[in-house]
Amino acid sequence: LGQHTSKAFDDELEQIGIVIDRMGGIAAGMIEEAAAALERRDARAAERVIAEDPDLDRLQSNLEHLATRMIALRQPVACDLRAVVGAMRIAGDVERIGDLAASIAKRSIRLGAMPGPDPVLAGTRRIATVAASMLRRVIAAHRTSDAVTARAVWAGDAELDEECAALFRTLLTFLLQEPRTIGFGIDAAFCIKNVERIGDHATNIAETVIYIVTGETVEDKRPKGPSL
Amino acid sequence: LGQHTSKAFDDELEQIGIVIDRMGGIAAGMIEEAAAALERRDARAAERVIAEDPDLDRLQSNLEHLATRMIALRQPVACDLRAVVGAMRIAGDVERIGDLAASIAKRSIRLGAMPGPDPVLAGTRRIATVAASMLRRVIAAHRTSDAVTARAVWAGDAELDEECAALFRTLLTFLLQEPRTIGFGIDAAFCIKNVERIGDHATNIAETVIYIVTGETVEDKRPKGPSL
């Protein structure tokens, strides 16, 4: 009891890793599909994204039950405890990413019905693709206990912030020229902000992976780009 | 060891409760001060709110260390484990609320320098005050293990959502009449959205309090108002 290399503990940790991989894959797919639905003004594709969100909530809830039971029954310490607590934290971030992707999908349905500049929609898809790729990389880094990749994802968030800010300026310029499209503008602004926040959650996950692998908390100030 | 009523465990749980109270008080104060700074276009007051945010981050980090050590050393089960895991979750929500209040403060500095309708600023302060009060009530409910009050806060979020949506419509109407104030409009829209999200986090906390006290997960669909 309380012993590090219990077979039962390792099996359960493997289970938890599988749930995290699955959650990460679903969330990254949701981001990509929501952004594609936005660019193509495809309400039906957006509805499919929204329908996926409860899956993530359920998986997170399963993971929390699993992890809490593990802590209670197996009483892990040191790196084993970090792995379990870290997994709960990552699942929380992935679940929030799913909410943000679903929010982009919801707004894309309204946006699809409004006149507004296609380049803003295409730009949003482009930055969303970057955010989805950050998520896929950091989830893979979790699976392989790869702190170096996690650190690279962490550092890359500043670039995403820059791209979000540039797109935001493009949107504002357009709105000053076409003031009747304010409804479009506000929904688009929230979509861009949601992508920025997805990047922040991927960065949180990177910090958690580094913590799990090295036991160290990232103390550096985040390399933040300009805030929207 | 692993025994329910260990004195050491109770002392540590008391410690954790004190940290949560303190975090909740700081965050509620930040919301109220940020909203007052917004209404009065008072950049200096806004700066003070922004300066408080690191305190919350540090307290959350302290609480996580405390809670993780408790789980490892005291190996709590059942309601004791729920109390510790729940406290970590609440601290996470309060920390996010602090970020959102700081974000309102940051935007209030920009908003204060732009022409725009005072009623929107006053309205934002009004809904922010409602959100701060939800937070204070649910933190008190945590302290007194009061699931009934937690349930009331939970149910009250729909009303806050309604008020946010109404204020949002007021803002849109104004922007259609005064299109040159689009910069003001987008910052104000994000402030209103931040208040709505603060309400969502207070609702999360309510669910956690109910879970800690009763052991039950709130399965009801949230009484959501219209989304912005």
Side-chain angles (χ1 to χ4, degrees):
Chain A
L1 211 82
Q3 185 59 29
H4 172 101
T5 43
S6 122
K7 172 90 174 67
F9 179 85
D10 287 344
D11 286 352
E12 286 168 1
L13 198 58
E14 173 70 21
Q15 272 299 316
I16 280 187
I18 290 169
V19 177
I20 297 248
D21 279 358
R22 199 157 148 224
M23 288 183 71
I26 292 173
M30 284 174 71
I31 301 166
E32 289 156 352
E33 287 156 29
L38 180 70
E39 188 183 14
R40 293 199 304 259
R41 299 174 184 263
D42 179 346
R44 223 178 270 183
E47 294 287 2
R48 282 196 299 274
V49 175
I50 297 163
E52 282 183 88
D53 198 29
D55 293 347
L56 275 188
D57 296 348
R58 209 180 44 248
L59 285 168
Q60 188 204 4
S61 178
N62 288 351
L63 188 143
E64 280 211 343
H65 280 120
L66 226 104
T68 310
R69 212 193 48 191
M70 273 175 85
I71 292 172
L73 294 184
R74 311 286 171 212
Q75 302 162 351
V77 293
C79 66
D80 289 342
L81 183 59
R82 286 205 308 275
V84 180
V85 172
M88 282 205 273
R89 210 186 291 166
I90 292 173
D93 279 303
V94 176
E95 190 270 329
R96 292 291 301 125
I97 289 175
D99 288 346
L100 291 163
S103 161
I104 293 173
K106 277 176 208 156
R107 289 182 191 281
S108 83
I109 296 174
R110 291 211 294 237
L111 281 164
M114 289 190 267
D118 286 345
V120 169
L121 301 183
T124 306
R125 181 176 185 178
R126 202 178 52 243
I127 57 173
T129 307
V130 173
S133 151
M134 283 174 67
L135 177 60
R136 289 194 192 278
R137 283 171 67 209
V138 80
I139 292 291
H142 174 256
R143 183 173 49 236
T144 56
S145 302
D146 176 356
V148 175
T149 298
R151 180 59 90 155
V153 170
W154 185 87
D157 188 42
E159 209 172 310
L160 178 64
D161 286 350
E162 285 284 358
E163 290 186 51
C164 290
L167 183 57
F168 200 72
R169 286 191 299 272
T170 305
L171 173 65
L172 271 182
T173 306
F174 171 80
L175 290 175
L176 285 167
Q177 287 158 358
E178 298 282 351
R180 305 304 299 174
T181 55
I182 178 69
F184 178 97
I186 289 185
D187 269 320
F190 276 117
C191 285
I192 297 169
K193 184 71 187 175
N194 282 351
V195 172
E196 189 201 65
R197 289 170 58 204
I198 289 171
D200 290 342
H201 284 288
T203 307
N204 288 348
I205 296 173
E207 291 184 356
T208 304
V209 171
I210 293 165
Y211 169 73
I212 293 173
V213 176
T214 68
E216 276 159 33
T217 308
V218 180
E219 298 288 358
D220 306 1
K221 226 175 136 50
R222 283 192 180 193
K224 288 296 293 176
S227 73
L228 302 187
Chain B
L1 210 83
Q3 185 58 30
H4 172 100
T5 43
S6 123
K7 172 92 173 64
F9 179 85
D10 287 344
D11 287 352
E12 286 168 0
L13 199 58
E14 173 70 19
Q15 273 298 316
I16 280 187
I18 289 169
V19 177
I20 297 249
D21 279 357
R22 201 159 146 223
M23 288 183 71
I26 292 173
M30 285 175 71
I31 301 165
E32 288 155 353
E33 287 157 28
L38 179 71
E39 187 182 14
R40 295 198 304 259
R41 298 173 183 263
D42 179 345
R44 224 179 269 182
E47 294 287 1
R48 283 197 299 273
V49 175
I50 297 163
E52 282 183 87
D53 197 30
D55 293 347
L56 275 187
D57 295 348
R58 209 180 44 250
L59 285 168
Q60 187 204 3
S61 178
N62 289 351
L63 189 142
E64 280 212 342
H65 280 121
L66 228 105
T68 309
R69 213 193 48 192
M70 274 176 85
I71 292 172
L73 294 184
R74 311 287 172 212
Q75 302 163 349
V77 293
C79 66
D80 289 342
L81 183 59
R82 286 204 308 273
V84 180
V85 172
M88 282 206 272
R89 211 186 290 167
I90 291 173
D93 279 304
V94 176
E95 191 269 328
R96 291 293 301 126
I97 289 174
D99 289 345
L100 291 164
S103 161
I104 293 172
K106 278 176 208 158
R107 289 182 191 281
S108 84
I109 297 174
R110 291 210 294 237
L111 281 164
M114 288 189 267
D118 286 345
V120 168
L121 301 182
T124 306
R125 182 177 185 177
R126 202 177 52 243
I127 58 172
T129 307
V130 173
S133 152
M134 283 173 67
L135 177 60
R136 289 195 192 279
R137 285 171 67 208
V138 79
I139 291 292
H142 174 256
R143 185 172 50 237
T144 55
S145 300
D146 176 356
V148 175
T149 298
R151 182 57 91 155
V153 171
W154 185 88
D157 189 41
E159 209 170 310
L160 178 64
D161 286 350
E162 286 283 1
E163 290 186 52
C164 290
L167 183 57
F168 201 72
R169 285 191 299 270
T170 305
L171 173 65
L172 272 182
T173 306
F174 170 80
L175 290 175
L176 285 168
Q177 287 157 359
E178 296 283 351
R180 303 305 300 174
T181 55
I182 177 69
F184 177 96
I186 288 186
D187 269 320
F190 276 117
C191 285
I192 298 169
K193 183 72 187 173
N194 282 350
V195 172
E196 189 200 66
R197 288 171 58 204
I198 289 171
D200 290 343
H201 284 287
T203 307
N204 288 348
I205 297 173
E207 291 184 356
T208 304
V209 171
I210 293 165
Y211 169 72
I212 293 173
V213 177
T214 68
E216 276 158 34
T217 308
V218 179
E219 298 288 358
D220 306 0
K221 226 175 137 51
R222 283 192 180 191
K224 289 294 294 176
S227 74
L228 301 187

